[in-house]
Amino acid sequence: MPECPEVETVREGIERHVVGRRITGAQVHHPRAVRRHVGGALDLPGRVVGTTVSAAVRRGKYLWLLLEHDADAAADGPTEALLVHLGMSGQLLVRHEGAGPAVVADLGVDPEHPSTRHLRADLALDDGTALWFVDQRTFGHLLVADLVVTPDGGPGGVGSPLPLLPEPAAHIARDPLDPALDLDALVRRLRTKRTEIKRALLDQTLVSGIGNIYADEALWRARLHPRRATDRLSRQAATEVLTAAEDVMRDALAAGGTSFDGLYVDVDGASGYFERSLDAYGRAGEPCHRCGTPMVRESFTNRSSTFCPRCQRAPRG
DNA sequence: AAAGGGACCTGGCTGC
DNA sequence: TGCAGCCAGGTCCCTT
């Protein structure tokens, strides 16, 4: 499941292999992949072909490629971006054309098994490589949109100095890996919410990039029960859980550098470093890594939370 | 206004 | 062996 660290790994791969390249062709293979693109599947190729990718930027789980027309470089820079969300199962693959098994650039995919079956769209680049968007469960999507100024005036996200982001991502908050995140302001805002802490961690308009896996991990590290009320958290507890989210995502990002291939061979994810270094997610019934108490799984709005019933005490009532 | 819940989607797994 | 049903999860949208 691509959350912040996984998307950041993909962004870094795009930065290395795609930035600076001109897009020479584009194909959409499944209409659902571009369901949020205003002009639809017929419009998207014409919007990207002929542009040059000038940056790869990420905010939370959203990733975008800044697109520059030849005229933009001489004028005010890019005005549009190709926005990508990987959803549950999306992948971006850089392929080198030619015979034999495709060589996949370092984006975390087994080159022996490119998932052509779930190819949803692809771009051709001027160096002969191709960028594939593969997505089994089709929760991911691509679109081209205008850039707008960031609400806080800061950089659009990780990977861009420009204070711009695509309009459809303008409501997404900064994430814990973003140097421009204002932690104190986030703590204050979190504590004004009247909800449960786990819901707040998953609210992408409050803090982005955290999904079910890293929410459970952050709560475990901070010893907070997922149903604790946000407006009753101390400033210290709120700071701790957000700092824990940053720490666990940095750890995952570091681990992703070495074991990402294994992780993404299976489209549905959970393998590689996940199995070895997670403390909470998916460990129901197994002993807590701190105290040995069996971890508990509780259903939570169509999904689940896993936590230690001893280290993470339930709120009263 | 803000919070909560369902829909969307596919493949793998479980149980009959 | 086959098949139905459940589960996973991020985000948008609708309801309360």
Side-chain angles (χ1 to χ4, degrees):
Chain A
M1 286 48 107
E3 297 185 29
C4 212
E6 291 73 31
V7 182
E8 176 59 17
T9 301
V10 172
R11 190 199 68 76
E12 290 168 5
I14 297 288
E15 196 163 66
R16 282 197 302 278
H17 299 285
V18 178
V19 168
R21 301 269 62 83
R22 182 188 296 268
I23 298 171
T24 57
Q27 286 184 287
V28 175
H29 304 287
H30 195 301
R32 192 171 146 79
V34 294
R35 65 194 178 281
R36 307 198 64 80
H37 178 73
V38 173
L42 293 178
D43 179 70
L44 191 137
R47 299 285 294 278
V48 300
V49 171
T51 67
T52 297
V53 178
S54 63
V57 190
R58 183 191 58 74
R59 176 182 285 235
K61 303 166 200 167
Y62 278 91
L63 171 67
W64 62 90
L65 281 57
L66 295 181
L67 304 178
E68 292 207 23
H69 293 84
D70 289 342
D72 292 335
D76 296 329
T79 60
E80 291 185 326
L82 175 63
L83 179 63
V84 182
H85 196 292
L86 300 177
M88 296 290 306
S89 55
Q91 304 173 340
L92 282 175
L93 322 183
V94 176
R95 292 170 49 96
H96 294 272
E97 311 253 37
V103 176
V104 177
D106 189 20
L107 293 185
V109 174
D110 182 352
E112 302 295 328
H113 302 95
S115 308
T116 56
R117 182 178 170 190
H118 299 117
L119 179 64
R120 306 307 185 195
D122 69 272
L123 303 179
L125 305 175
D126 64 355
D127 62 352
T129 62
L131 182 63
W132 279 20
F133 178 65
V134 172
D135 187 17
Q136 179 208 96
R137 296 187 193 174
T138 73
F139 276 41
H141 61 94
L142 319 169
L143 59 83
V144 176
D146 288 339
L147 295 168
V148 297
V149 175
T150 54
D152 63 6
V158 173
S160 169
L162 301 174
L164 302 171
L165 79 174
E167 192 279 332
H171 63 295
I172 300 296
R174 293 190 185 278
D175 61 73
L177 297 181
D178 186 338
L181 175 76
D182 183 339
L183 181 61
D184 290 339
L186 173 55
V187 166
R188 283 195 295 276
R189 207 176 149 211
L190 176 73
R191 296 176 69 221
T192 66
K193 292 278 179 187
R194 296 180 56 84
T195 188
E196 297 166 358
I197 181 61
K198 175 142 179 189
R199 287 179 187 282
L201 292 176
L202 296 175
D203 178 355
Q204 306 294 302
T205 68
L206 182 69
V207 57
S208 69
I210 304 174
N212 206 39
I213 296 169
Y214 295 111
D216 280 2
E217 293 302 305
L219 290 164
W220 183 86
R221 289 192 179 199
R223 305 182 190 224
L224 286 179
H225 191 282
R227 300 190 63 182
R228 288 279 296 272
T230 46
D231 60 352
R232 297 181 67 178
L233 285 184
S234 68
R235 198 156 54 92
Q236 183 184 349
T239 304
E240 276 180 14
V241 71
L242 291 167
T243 304
E246 178 186 350
D247 290 345
V248 70
M249 290 200 289
R250 289 203 188 281
D251 291 349
L253 184 57
T258 55
S259 57
F260 211 63
D261 285 7
L263 174 64
Y264 267 46
V265 167
D266 299 324
V267 174
D268 63 356
S271 64
Y273 73 82
F274 278 135
E275 298 299 328
R276 292 197 296 278
S277 63
L278 291 186
D279 291 306
Y281 180 83
R283 299 197 63 246
E286 296 173 41
C288 171
H289 284 159
R290 263 193 309 256
C291 73
T293 303
M295 302 285 286
V296 166
R297 190 190 130 183
E298 200 171 84
S299 68
F300 161 81
T301 64
N302 278 354
R303 35 185 65 80
S304 63
S305 294
T306 305
F307 57 93
C308 172
R310 183 172 174 196
C311 296
Q312 299 167 263
R313 288 301 169 101
R316 285 172 301 195

